[in-house]
Amino acid sequence: MSRSLPRSLVAALTAGAAFGLAAGSAAADAKAPCFFVSQWRGWKAPDANTLYLRVNMKDIYRADLSAGSQQLTWGGSYHLVSRVEGSSSVCGPLDLQLAVSDGRGFKQPLIVRDLVKLTPDEIAALPKKDLP
């Protein structure tokens, strides 16, 4: 003899799981909405493990790096290199394939562990020197 769950319980569990997935997806979308690499206008590194990316004119994203590089904070002699494979949209940390380069062949890969679009209040709270 087999046992089965009542249909109402199965329906409730299915609806709850679907709601949880939708809520998680909405939270992820709010955290880091997509942008195209062509919309990226500049960057600034306040420290070795954080990048601020300016997208379009008013949006700022914070990219937290797993193992950053002091070269990011050294100014003009080093620059950020972005490699795009496949889609040119950035929707999360894995879409950013970055490296810091001295322009003469040295490239240090950077691993982005988190990407967050800052709110207008968070942008206003940043020191002006850290804005890209």
Side-chain angles (χ1 to χ4, degrees):
M1 178 158 111
S2 74
R3 298 181 125 204
S4 63
L5 294 172
R7 287 184 187 182
S8 60
L9 181 58
V10 171
L13 290 172
T14 303
F19 176 76
L21 289 174
S25 175
D29 291 344
K31 185 177 178 186
C34 297
F35 63 89
F36 291 103
V37 173
S38 62
Q39 295 172 302
W40 183 1
R41 300 288 176 237
W43 64 277
K44 198 79 167 261
D47 59 60
N49 294 309
T50 308
L51 290 172
Y52 291 119
L53 310 174
R54 179 171 298 278
V55 176
N56 293 323
M57 295 303 292
K58 63 177 183 157
D59 295 332
I60 304 286
Y61 288 74
R62 185 186 68 238
D64 298 317
L65 306 175
S66 289
S69 172
Q70 282 301 121
Q71 287 86 1
L72 290 170
T73 63
W74 289 354
S77 60
Y78 287 86
H79 57 274
L80 195 60
V81 178
S82 174
R83 190 176 85 223
V84 178
E85 291 181 10
S87 173
S88 64
S89 63
V90 176
C91 296
L94 296 178
D95 295 330
L96 285 171
Q97 296 183 21
L98 304 175
V100 63
S101 173
D102 65 359
R104 297 181 301 249
F106 167 80
K107 284 186 187 174
Q108 179 183 354
L110 302 170
I111 299 170
V112 180
R113 66 176 163 80
D114 200 15
L115 181 66
V116 178
K117 181 179 180 182
L118 301 182
T119 66
D121 289 340
E122 290 171 324
I123 294 169
L126 290 176
K128 297 293 181 204
K129 67 179 181 59
D130 292 341
L131 289 173

